[in-house]
């Protein structure tokens, strides 16, 4: 995990390590973290949008919400990565 913010909630740590082990994922970059309330369980990760070079997801912890960029290479594997994330984090 790289980025400006390097510390994550204990609930998210295992899930982010799981994402890093997906073969098409090159890098997981942590973005802005915001303390707020939400309806998702701690450790939940949800797809946000497609961007150049990968996807953006939102992770939910007991302390708030964190934006995450996932770099995917080759980009043709994007839909497979999205379906793996959606399959693991269904509500």
């Amino acid at each position: 995990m790289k980025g400006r913010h390097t510390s994550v909630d204990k609930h998210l740590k295992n899930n982010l390590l799981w994402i890093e082990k997906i073969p098409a994922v090159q890098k997981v970059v942590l973005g802005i973290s915001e303390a707020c309330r939400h309806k998702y369980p701690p450790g939940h990760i949800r797809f946000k949008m497609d961007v150049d070079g990968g996807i953006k997801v939102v992770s939910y912890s007991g302390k708030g919400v964190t934006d995450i960029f996932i770099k995917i290479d080759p980009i043709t594997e994007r839909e497979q990565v999205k379906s793996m994330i959606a399959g693991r984090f269904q509500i």
Side-chain angles (χ1 to χ4, degrees):
M1 290 172 282
K2 301 194 184 293
R4 177 175 284 173
H5 310 284
T6 56
S7 62
V8 292
D9 191 68
K10 64 182 177 181
H11 297 102
L12 286 173
K13 193 166 199 159
N14 289 334
N15 292 335
L16 291 177
L17 291 174
W18 175 81
I19 289 175
E20 287 180 338
K21 290 180 184 175
I22 297 173
V25 172
Q26 295 294 337
K27 192 183 296 187
V28 175
V29 181
L30 302 175
I32 301 297
S33 184
E34 182 178 349
C36 63
R37 298 173 83 176
H38 52 80
K39 66 178 183 177
Y40 297 99
H44 187 78
I45 295 176
R46 188 173 58 89
F47 171 75
K48 186 174 179 182
M49 72 172 101
D50 290 334
V51 293
D52 291 340
I55 59 174
K56 283 199 174 187
V57 295
V58 179
S59 65
Y60 299 91
S61 68
K63 299 176 183 175
V65 179
T66 304
D67 290 328
I68 298 175
F69 169 71
I70 300 173
K71 179 167 174 47
I72 300 171
D73 188 39
I75 199 65
T76 56
E77 300 290 321
R78 180 186 309 192
E79 294 303 319
Q80 181 183 2
V81 173
K82 285 168 41 176
S83 66
M84 289 178 76
I85 292 172
R88 181 169 170 130
F89 300 104
Q90 296 181 48
I91 285 189

